[in-house]
């Protein structure tokens, strides 16, 4: 059996196809990177105790850090999609 010849255009199209990964892994990867960027930016001012009654022992992002994290999460996800063509299996 002879191997099928693949044109350069077909090889390019194959490379441009989306890669879908498990949604949980996808979100965890983006979260890890966005969290590290946020911690680097805010340092020890990243976290504060929860303001919810009975949840004071739970540490959460401070408001500014949360807003920054949300922006970084979106940025990392966009870069992952555009640059590497990696998407959640739920997209």
């Amino acid at each position: 059996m002879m191997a099928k010849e693949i044109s350069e255009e077909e090889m390019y199209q194959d490379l441009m196809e989306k890669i879908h990964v498990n949604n949980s892994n996808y979100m965890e990867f983006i979260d890890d990177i966005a969290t590290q960027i946020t911690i680097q930016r805010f340092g020890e001012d990243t976290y504060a105790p929860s303001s919810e009654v009975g949840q004071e022992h739970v540490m959460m992002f401070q408001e500014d850090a949360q807003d920054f994290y949300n922006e970084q999460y979106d940025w990392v996800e966009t870069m992952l999609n555009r640059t590497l063509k990696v998407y959640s299996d739920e997209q």
Side-chain angles (χ1 to χ4, degrees):
M1 177 189 260
M2 233 176 179
K4 177 186 171 191
E5 283 192 43
I6 298 174
S7 71
E8 190 173 314
E9 184 177 334
E10 288 173 314
M11 287 192 313
Y12 179 75
Q13 288 301 323
D14 285 346
L15 291 174
M16 295 307 296
E17 288 185 26
K18 294 178 181 178
I19 299 167
H20 289 91
V21 297
N22 174 278
N23 187 57
S24 180
N25 294 340
Y26 176 81
M27 291 175 62
E28 183 178 356
F29 175 81
I30 296 169
D31 172 68
D32 286 347
I33 294 173
T35 298
Q36 289 305 312
I37 294 170
T38 303
I39 291 169
Q40 287 178 1
R41 167 70 171 79
F42 287 89
E44 61 186 49
D45 295 327
T46 303
Y47 295 102
S50 173
S51 58
E52 291 184 41
V53 175
Q55 296 295 315
E56 295 85 1
H57 64 283
V58 175
M59 297 298 285
M60 301 177 64
F61 281 132
Q62 292 203 46
E63 187 175 345
D64 289 346
Q66 182 66 58
D67 292 342
F68 183 82
Y69 166 87
N70 293 344
E71 291 171 8
Q72 296 311 300
Y73 188 99
D74 292 344
W75 177 77
V76 171
E77 182 173 29
T78 298
M79 293 301 293
L80 191 59
N81 294 165
R82 287 185 183 169
T83 306
L84 298 177
K85 307 295 186 222
V86 174
Y87 294 83
S88 162
D89 61 5
E90 294 185 5
Q91 290 179 319

